[in-house]
Amino acid sequence: MKITVIGGSGLIGAKLVRKLGAHGHEVVAASPSSGVNTLTGEGLTEALKGASVVVDVSNSPSFEDAVALKFFETSTRNLLTYEAAAGVGHHVALSVVGIERLPEYGYFRAKIAQEKLIKGSSIPYSIIRATQFFEFTGRIADEGTEDNTVRLTSVLIQPIAANDVASAIARITLGTPVNGTVEIAGPDQFRLDDLIRRDLAARNDPREVISDPHARYFGGELSERTLVPGDDARLGETRFENWVHQPARQIPNTRLQPAVGMGRREQLMTNSKPMLVLAFLITSTLITASTVMAQKAVTPLMAQEAITPLMSKDLAEFPGKEIVMYTVEFPSGFSTPVHRHNAYVSLYVLEGSVVMQVRGGKEMTLTPGQSFYEGPNDVHVVSRNASSTKPAKFLVFLVKDKSAPQLVLEK
């Protein structure tokens, strides 16, 4: 059976493609990097040709209300139109538990609009609503951070591992369309503030979590059960306490906290031991694999920037981790949206000058020979070419989870 996975290179999509392929099915991983664009329709005819099932696990490039709504409405309309023409017999879509209970969150309104289009189509469908992923606990902490504290309400949450999400989607994909909604969640419920407290402790993150009944969740006011599923939800097997201590999570967290009289480079030296380990791995990898070219494309933030892959290599010393290296060229006056990398990132300027800043840090202008560092939870609020007349070029080096996307757009 041929199955097309829209968003097949993302966190869930990549896992799903592997699982379906392991069952002997022909799987197409469709994404902009593979020439398939659901907003314009580019590549859809070929990607859906002969497909029995289409699974949509794609996501909006921004959580901003209008952008998210336009993405999900346009993308879903196009998909359903092309699927009808191709004779697709089952449309599977990933959605979110509780979207109707937080209407002030524009992203959730966009997901409701997506679901409405699917239900109104003539194509048999299955909508899978998942609770929050374990992998996004860091982003929840960042969203609630003020200085060195994290303010969160103490409502219930029942998070699930991304791998369990992919497994659940695979089972439903290979079954009969439910023509309805299935909820999936992790095996255990937590209090939101306690969950993040445990996660930060496991990553040696010094931020203090403060319980605040009025703290907002991505701009919305939570009730006790906004984030948890109903009683008939299908539960994953992975428990948070096991996931959080997996080997891939053992690299010490190097999120840098502001310190009086201490610059970012001096702060970095306070984490010298883990950084020396990474430095050794980086050096040895460059020596042994500097001629290896990356086989997977790096998706650019915007069309104007030029990204050239140079290398990707698994880290045997840290199972589940990989090193990725590429160069980026910013045209004159170019600036990226606010974003975050799911990685330990080092940047080295080759040509021109760039301005960089992470949330809570100082804005820095870097020239050739200078470098910049950011951790997995740092939000990159400024990233632009300092010149309005000349291009800039820099080398980027990432140490990341193999399953994690290299970039996530932020508010």
Side-chain angles (χ1 to χ4, degrees), residues 164-209:
D164 287 350
V165 174
S167 295
I169 296 175
R171 286 192 290 269
I172 292 171
T173 297
L174 299 177
T176 303
V178 300
N179 289 318
T181 302
V182 176
E183 290 188 325
I184 60 174
D188 302 305
Q189 289 188 355
F190 302 86
R191 292 292 173 178
L192 177 60
D193 54 344
D194 185 54
L195 173 71
I196 302 305
R197 193 175 288 114
R198 294 187 191 189
D199 183 68
L200 295 182
R203 292 192 281 115
N204 299 317
D205 191 314
R207 283 178 288 178
E208 178 187 7
V209 177

Side-chain angles (χ1 to χ4, degrees), residues 15-326:
K15 297 177 185 296
L16 178 61
V17 167
R18 288 194 294 269
K19 290 177 184 293
L20 293 173
H23 282 84
H25 298 284
E26 178 187 356
V27 186
V28 175
S31 67
S33 62
S34 66
V36 179
N37 189 324
T38 56
L39 293 178
T40 64
E42 178 186 1
L44 274 178
T45 298
E46 184 61 30
L48 301 187
K49 185 178 181 180
S52 299
V53 185
V54 170
V55 186
D56 184 8
V57 292
S58 63
N59 204 357
S60 169
S62 170
F63 289 97
E64 195 274 323
D65 294 6
V67 176
L69 181 61
K70 182 178 180 181
F71 173 84
F72 285 117
E73 286 190 332
T74 304
S75 176
T76 303
R77 282 196 185 100
N78 283 339
L79 272 177
L80 295 171
T81 298
Y82 280 82
E83 286 173 27
V88 172
H90 188 186
H91 179 95
V92 181
L94 178 61
S95 191
V96 186
V97 163
I99 54 178
E100 73 285 353
R101 297 192 289 266
L102 198 63
E104 60 265 50
Y105 187 18
Y107 179 83
F108 280 9
R109 293 197 301 271
K111 294 298 289 184
I112 290 174
Q114 178 191 29
E115 290 189 7
K116 184 177 180 180
L117 288 169
I118 294 169
K119 294 173 183 177
S121 168
S122 61
I123 300 173
Y125 70 91
S126 300
I127 294 173
I128 304 166
R129 286 188 175 186
T131 54
Q132 186 60 274
F133 305 162
F134 291 163
E135 285 77 2
F136 290 162
T137 50
R139 184 168 186 267
I140 295 174
D142 291 344
E143 183 72 14
T145 295
E146 297 177 3
D147 297 325
N148 200 39
T149 61
V150 183
R151 291 188 175 276
L152 294 168
T153 185
S154 189
V155 299
L156 291 172
I157 188 170
Q158 194 169 338
I160 184 172
N163 191 61
D164 287 350
V165 174
S167 295
I169 296 175
R171 286 192 290 269
I172 292 171
T173 297
L174 299 177
T176 303
V178 300
N179 289 318
T181 302
V182 176
E183 290 188 325
I184 60 174
D188 302 305
Q189 289 188 355
F190 302 86
R191 292 292 173 178
L192 177 60
D193 54 344
D194 185 54
L195 173 71
I196 302 305
R197 193 175 288 114
R198 294 187 191 189
D199 183 68
L200 295 182
R203 292 192 281 115
N204 299 317
D205 191 314
R207 283 178 288 178
E208 178 187 7
V209 177
I210 297 176
S211 299
D212 181 350
H214 301 294
R216 299 179 74 82
Y217 182 83
F218 296 100
E221 190 84 26
L222 296 176
S223 63
E224 176 74 355
R225 299 190 62 82
T226 299
L227 304 177
V228 296
D231 295 335
D232 58 349
R234 303 181 187 184
L235 305 184
E237 299 179 352
T238 307
R239 297 189 179 278
F240 181 76
E241 59 265 30
N242 296 328
W243 174 86
V244 80
H245 294 297
Q246 288 175 355
R249 299 267 299 172
Q250 293 300 314
I251 291 181
N253 175 51
T254 55
R255 182 182 185 275
L256 303 178
Q257 304 297 328
V260 177
M262 184 179 290
R264 191 164 183 84
R265 294 193 182 191
E266 287 78 11
Q267 293 176 40
L268 188 57
M269 291 306 294
T270 65
N271 294 281
S272 57
K273 186 174 180 179
M275 292 312 298
L276 284 173
V277 173
L278 288 176
F280 171 77
L281 291 173
I282 289 170
T283 302
S284 61
T285 302
L286 286 174
I287 291 174
T288 58
S290 60
T291 61
V292 178
M293 298 300 290
Q295 296 302 307
K296 50 189 177 182
V298 179
T299 303
L301 286 165
M302 297 176 65
Q304 298 98 319
E305 66 178 342
I307 298 179
T308 304
L310 298 178
M311 181 190 76
S312 65
K313 181 176 174 63
D314 292 351
L315 278 175
E317 298 87 347
F318 295 98
K321 294 286 183 181
E322 67 175 348
I323 286 177
V324 177
M325 185 168 64
Y326 53 89

